[in-house]
Amino acid sequence: MDDTDIRTLFGAEGPDGSSGIDDLARMLQGPVLTPGQDGYDDERSGFSLAAQHRPDIIVGAAGPADVQAAVAYARRNGLPVAVQATGHGAPEPATAGMLITTGRMAGVEVKPEAGSAWIEAGVRWQQVIEAAAPFGLAPISGSSPHVGAVSYTLGGGIGLLGRTFGYAADYVRRIDVVTADGRLRHVTEESEPDLFWALRGGRSNFGVVTGMEIELVQVSRIFGGGLYFDADDVPDVLRVWRDWTTTVPDEMTSSVAVIPGRNVVQVRIAYVGDMADGERLIAPLRDAGPRLIDMVTEMSYTESESICNDPTDPQASTMVNAMLSDLDDAPIAALRDVSRGDATVPCILDIRHLGGALSRPPAVPNAVGHRDAQYLVGVITPLTGTDVKVARDVHGHVLKLLQPWTVGRYVNFLAGEHATRDEIRAAYEPTDYQRLSVLKGVYDPSNLFRLNHNIPPALDS
Ligand SMILES: Cc1cc2nc3c(=O)[nH]c(=O)nc-3n(C[C@H](O)[C@H](O)[C@H](O)COP(=O)(O)OP(=O)(O)OC[C@H]3O[C@@H](n4cnc5c(N)ncnc54)[C@H](O)[C@@H]3O)c2cc1C
């Protein structure tokens, strides 16, 4: 569909003043669904059971032309637009407006000679990992391969190999995006440098991404897995891990999960190097104390899901995060208290070691913030059987304790009610945030794309 078609679409209002919905449905390859229709509930559902969209209209886009038509319709009818691929990262859910789902856009094409892959909007990391592996290549994917690759990358993307290679957003070569004017733009550093900068970090604020070209890295095997300790038997694991992180090379990326119900501390390892070096490097961790399970070994990158063992079933949970300049003994003690089995609400901790390539500026600058952070702390509380108000209080208390070391937030970990305006602003460097809001004013002045991690347009620019 060309841009002229898009602009002349839905020119006439229906009898209720807001229709054209049948015209829209006729134009699309994918379905158009409204509340009460068969398929509506399935289409709006995803991984998160805590933040579920209930829009006025869902467009199940089958390709870029469907997205263009949907955006034109939404603009014509004054409907704000939300996007969903897998439902792993919804901010405050859409209770009105339009939801564009991208699950049908699931193509992956690896170009081994270019060292890259073209990924469509609905692709999960698992598909990219599997498609790249036969060529000895891998994407900059994260702890769970079931997360949507496009949104993960638009938010930065702190992955299993982050310290070696940097953010996923640093590996984007081209982005196809439908902007608020209904145009499908093929955005590169050369074609539209401002928009290219803003999309990589600014998430969904600038349009609906229909696909992107990402660079792959030459990794087929890694040394990795989980070391599991009993938190009572080895109370000092967090401190041992923290001390150890200050000694390791950039090829070593690791994180720790503290799981209160099971009283387990899981140290997760991903080392890009040979097994003998890996064994030598992690020896101080193994010496921390008796291990319940030791799964660290050489593995294919296709098995890397086993390193963190993230949940795969839909979950209702709430989460806060803080990017830290350091992890002193004081925050460690506070975090240990909050994650104790007898704490007021169960708090799962996910603490990631940053630095290395994550701290270095990318070859082509982007909007990803806080490259100076050395650790990322996530505090997750499952909402089953938990009073959400108590969870909120506990999370607020943890964030206050971490404040002296906090440099900002990580946008990909801002989900649900925590994706407030202030928290989103805190995910960026102040000057970058200002530039993002100016660009938002250029590309989406009416804030059509506001059901997201929203950066309001600076309209006086
Ligand atoms: C179990 C789990 C593990 C995770 N691991 C990591 C990790 O290791 N590293 C990391 O950095 N993050 C991680 N995340 C966070 C994850 O990257 C974000 O939540 C991401 O937004 C999920 O994208 P999605 O498409 O799967 O989810 P969705 O909920 O479908 O999308 C999230 C948001 O992204 C936007 N969006 C989606 N598709 C498009 C599009 N095509 N165009 C424009 N906007 C779009 C929309 O605003 C949408 O609300 C994890 C999350 C979970 C739940």
Side-chain angles (χ1 to χ4, degrees):
M1 180 180 311
D2 71 26
D3 293 338
T4 324
D5 292 338
I6 284 293
R7 274 190 287 270
T8 52
L9 257 180
F10 317 118
E13 281 180 3
D16 62 354
S18 66
S19 193
I21 194 165
D22 294 338
D23 291 342
L24 174 66
R26 269 193 296 277
M27 293 198 58
L28 299 182
Q29 271 183 278
V32 174
L33 298 161
T34 51
Q37 258 186 293
D38 276 357
Y40 173 87
D41 283 334
D42 281 349
E43 193 71 27
R44 70 184 177 82
S45 301
F47 178 84
S48 171
L49 300 178
Q52 288 188 309
H53 299 290
R54 281 186 179 73
D56 295 325
I57 174 169
I58 305 178
V59 170
D66 281 5
V67 175
Q68 283 185 280
V71 167
Y73 178 89
R75 200 190 57 225
R76 174 77 183 89
N77 288 289
L79 300 174
V81 174
V83 189
Q84 176 164 280
T86 76
H88 274 79
E92 194 71 8
T95 51
M98 175 188 280
L99 174 67
I100 298 177
T101 56
T102 61
R104 291 169 187 77
M105 300 164 67
V108 176
E109 189 193 347
V110 174
K111 300 169 189 159
E113 67 294 344
S116 71
W118 181 260
I119 57 175
E120 291 183 356
V123 164
R124 296 172 192 259
W125 277 129
Q126 183 72 33
Q127 295 166 257
V128 192
I129 292 168
E130 280 169 12
F135 306 101
L137 298 169
I140 309 290
S141 54
S143 55
S144 164
H146 307 291
V147 160
V150 162
S151 172
Y152 168 101
T153 304
L154 294 175
I158 293 178
L160 289 171
L161 312 178
R163 283 176 39 81
T164 314
F165 296 105
Y167 283 90
D170 302 347
Y171 286 76
V172 178
R173 292 182 180 173
R174 179 183 132 192
I175 300 176
D176 281 6
V177 60
V178 176
T179 42
D181 54 8
R183 277 180 61 192
L184 173 63
R185 299 170 192 249
H186 311 289
V187 185
T188 63
E189 163 67 353
E190 288 73 33
S191 72
E192 287 183 84
D194 282 339
L195 185 55
F196 192 57
W197 174 85
L199 282 164
R200 293 167 304 134
R203 278 183 65 119
S204 339
N205 278 287
F206 298 92
V208 184
V209 170
T210 59
M212 53 169 67
E213 183 182 357
I214 56 166
E215 198 174 320
L216 303 170
V217 293
Q218 290 191 349
V219 169
S220 52
R221 299 191 72 73
I222 57 170
F223 176 72
L227 296 173
Y228 295 74
F229 298 90
D230 184 303
D232 289 334
D233 292 350
V234 197
D236 233 17
V237 181
L238 269 182
R239 214 191 317 245
V240 172
W241 173 75
R242 187 273 322 273
D243 289 347
W244 173 81
T245 57
T246 63
T247 68
V248 297
D250 292 356
E251 288 72 24
M252 179 66 80
T253 302
S254 67
S255 62
V256 169
V258 183
I259 305 153
R262 288 182 246 151
N263 211 28
V264 162
V265 181
Q266 172 199 16
V267 182
R268 302 106 146 226
I269 301 293
Y271 175 63
V272 185
D274 73 31
M275 186 158 166
D277 285 348
E279 297 276 10
R280 184 179 50 75
L281 281 164
I282 69 161
L285 294 175
R286 284 184 164 143
D287 289 346
R291 282 153 270 144
L292 295 172
I293 311 173
D294 185 337
M295 295 180 66
V296 187
T297 186
E298 204 192 20
M299 64 169 74
S300 159
Y301 194 70
T302 54
E303 299 167 297
S304 59
E305 177 177 9
S306 67
I307 294 174
C308 295
N309 234 340
D310 277 352
T312 51
D313 292 335
Q315 307 268 311
S317 60
T318 179
M319 176 179 196
V320 289
N321 79 81
M323 297 186 91
L324 306 181
S325 56
D326 204 349
L327 193 58
D328 288 354
D329 288 348
I332 284 189
L335 288 169
R336 214 171 31 208
D337 277 354
V338 78
S339 62
R340 278 203 334 261
D342 59 353
T344 336
V345 291
C347 287
I348 299 164
L349 302 182
D350 177 334
I351 312 177
R352 301 185 181 208
H353 183 209
L354 308 180
L358 292 164
S359 291
R360 291 195 279 275
V364 179
N366 57 39
V368 174
H370 307 311
R371 287 179 188 263
D372 52 340
Q374 294 301 310
Y375 297 90
L376 168 61
V377 175
V379 183
I380 306 149
T381 295
L383 287 177
T384 343
T386 302
D387 183 337
V388 70
K389 288 195 201 82
V390 181
R392 220 175 271 154
D393 287 350
V394 171
H395 288 184
H397 176 64
V398 180
L399 291 182
K400 214 182 244 169
L401 290 171
L402 295 176
Q403 191 52 41
W405 299 272
T406 300
V407 298
R409 303 279 179 247
Y410 177 47
V411 70
N412 269 0
F413 283 1
L414 287 177
E417 60 170 5
H418 295 290
T420 63
R421 184 108 352 134
D422 285 347
E423 293 284 286
I424 292 161
R425 180 191 287 268
Y428 300 96
E429 309 299 339
T431 50
D432 286 351
Y433 185 84
Q434 181 57 27
R435 183 174 172 197
L436 285 167
S437 67
V438 168
L439 289 169
K440 176 80 172 172
V442 173
Y443 288 98
D444 184 16
S446 68
N447 209 359
L448 184 72
F449 302 113
R450 61 179 175 275
L451 302 175
N452 52 24
H453 293 74
N454 195 231
I455 299 172
L459 291 176
D460 51 352
S461 54

